[in-house]
Amino acid sequence: MAKDSGNIRYDEEFILNSRGLKLFTCKWIPVNQYPKALIFICHGYAMECSITMNSTAHRLAKEGYAIYGIDYEGHGKSAGLDGYVENMDNVIDDCSAHFTGICEKEENRKKMRYLLGESMGGAVALLLHFKKPEFWDGAIFAAPMCKIADDMRPHPMVINVLTKLTTYIPTWRVLPSKDIIDLAFKVPEVRQEIRSNPYCYKGRPRIKTGYELFKTTMELEQKLEGVSLPFLVLHGEDDKVTDKKVSQQLHRVASSKDKTIKLYPGMWHGLLYGEPLENIEIVFKDIIGWLEERVALGNTRLERELKQRNDK
């Protein structure tokens, strides 16, 4: 299905992953200009791309960027058990295969490529970077799930028991959890939109899902020094879902020479679409400004790749 909205063409398509599952993909492409760069969005846990991240994609597409998204297995319109992450490696493999396939098309090979990850999607973006460290030109991490906030983390004894249960009842929805929608999104109308969106998962986290997310945050927290790509990390100072201290740690210890952090007083977890409009404008001014500066510098990755080919 394709449709035009102003100067943006929206299209969606189902693809098959390596495990034979049907995954939903979508894209927002500027119509009357050559895209400045490609941006690949990685949505949060229990979210999806085509509705909840539509406003984000439209804002960036209006600025001249081509935007691509994919619903993870068990999320949104993709196949799989609702809200179930059996293995985070599968999520990364699916995103990597789809995103790199787009980048390697003839018309896209010379374009710069960026990742934009929100919450769990921030963890996905980091893992995509670790999978192919030299592939991406940069990343934007919005309240990245590098560590679950202490108030959201189960007691160590509960974690120990649930870890053992992943072998026997991995899909059971018995994990104790607070209402993330109420904690993440400040604007009541946004909370209602998410609750009424049939493609957003609202049940309790499944046991294996909780284990995979917890394991991912534990692993990422130990690997932050290995982050080497240019990045912008954004975090609300009143975020009660993911820990702003780890975003600060990411900015402090990452080996990247080009790294920027923005902390927003009074803002919550949902920086991209869960805040009042005046706050969202502040956040996107920072995002677009950061992108414009780097696009203006030119494609240093392409220059490096051409030099390596010539050397060989």
Side-chain angles (χ1 to χ4, degrees):
M1 180 190 78
K3 59 181 180 181
D4 292 345
S5 174
N7 293 323
I8 300 168
R9 184 171 179 81
Y10 172 78
D11 198 4
E12 55 189 41
E13 178 186 14
F14 284 92
I15 62 172
L16 284 179
N17 68 8
S18 60
R19 302 178 304 286
L21 285 173
K22 187 183 290 187
L23 301 181
F24 174 83
T25 68
C26 52
K27 59 185 177 182
W28 296 258
I29 309 296
V31 174
N32 297 320
Q33 69 176 94
Y34 185 78
K36 297 176 182 177
L38 313 178
I39 300 177
F40 298 89
I41 54 177
C42 306
H43 64 75
Y45 165 69
M47 298 290 109
E48 49 79 52
C49 285
S50 62
I51 300 173
T52 56
M53 297 200 77
N54 181 58
S55 61
T56 295
H58 260 271
R59 282 175 177 271
L60 296 172
K62 283 181 180 178
E63 296 295 327
Y65 297 92
I67 316 300
Y68 298 85
I70 183 172
D71 289 352
Y72 316 138
E73 176 185 344
H75 285 72
K77 301 174 186 176
S78 290
L81 185 62
D82 286 349
Y84 185 46
V85 178
E86 182 179 20
N87 190 320
M88 185 62 85
D89 289 342
N90 290 343
V91 173
I92 304 309
D93 289 343
D94 290 341
C95 291
S96 182
H98 180 57
F99 292 166
T100 57
I102 291 167
C103 293
E104 288 166 357
K105 289 183 178 180
E106 185 62 36
E107 66 269 24
N108 291 332
R109 285 180 182 169
K110 294 182 180 180
K111 295 189 180 96
M112 299 178 75
R113 45 185 84 139
Y114 293 91
L115 296 163
L116 169 57
E118 175 198 42
S119 192
M120 170 186 157
V124 171
L126 280 166
L127 292 169
L128 286 169
H129 164 53
F130 287 133
K131 187 177 179 71
K132 291 192 172 186
E134 302 296 326
F135 189 82
W136 303 100
D137 292 297
I140 299 159
F141 306 118
M145 190 194 74
C146 303
K147 179 182 178 182
I148 299 171
D150 291 337
D151 289 346
M152 295 288 295
R153 183 180 296 207
H155 189 276
M157 188 178 295
V158 175
I159 293 171
N160 186 46
V161 172
L162 293 176
T163 300
K164 295 175 181 176
L165 290 177
T166 58
T167 305
Y168 304 102
I169 48 172
T171 65
W172 281 27
R173 300 190 291 185
V174 297
L175 279 183
S177 66
K178 298 180 181 179
D179 189 329
I180 293 180
I181 294 175
D182 279 345
L183 289 173
F185 306 104
K186 185 184 293 183
V187 177
E189 292 80 6
V190 173
R191 296 180 206 162
Q192 183 55 41
E193 288 172 8
I194 292 171
R195 287 198 170 95
S196 62
N197 183 343
Y199 300 109
C200 291
Y201 177 74
K202 288 98 177 175
R204 282 188 171 190
R206 300 180 189 275
I207 288 179
K208 187 69 188 299
T209 300
Y211 171 77
E212 285 295 313
L213 299 186
F214 181 71
K215 183 181 73 170
T216 297
T217 61
M218 294 294 287
E219 291 174 355
L220 281 176
E221 198 175 354
Q222 304 303 315
K223 296 172 64 176
L224 297 181
E225 291 182 7
V227 176
S228 58
L229 83 174
F231 69 83
L232 168 66
V233 59
L234 316 166
H235 222 116
E237 292 199 351
D238 288 351
D239 190 333
K240 291 181 173 59
V241 179
T242 58
D243 196 334
K244 70 177 181 182
K245 292 178 183 176
V246 183
S247 285
Q248 293 172 307
Q249 182 183 348
L250 166 63
H251 177 256
R252 185 174 65 254
V253 307
S255 62
S256 307
K257 294 179 180 178
D258 178 359
K259 50 186 178 179
T260 305
I261 186 169
K262 296 284 185 178
L263 297 177
Y264 301 101
M267 293 197 200
W268 292 16
H269 182 67
L271 294 173
L272 301 181
Y273 49 87
E275 288 283 323
L277 183 59
E278 59 270 21
N279 288 351
I280 292 175
E281 294 293 344
I282 292 170
V283 171
F284 274 91
K285 182 179 179 181
D286 289 336
I287 291 173
I288 291 164
W290 185 86
L291 286 167
E292 293 289 320
E293 285 180 15
R294 276 133 199 92
V295 169
L297 293 174
N299 196 333
T300 56
R301 172 191 47 79
L302 185 61
E303 294 172 3
R304 185 178 66 249
E305 290 175 355
L306 290 172
K307 182 179 185 302
Q308 288 173 349
R309 287 198 203 103
N310 290 333
D311 290 344
K312 288 180 181 179

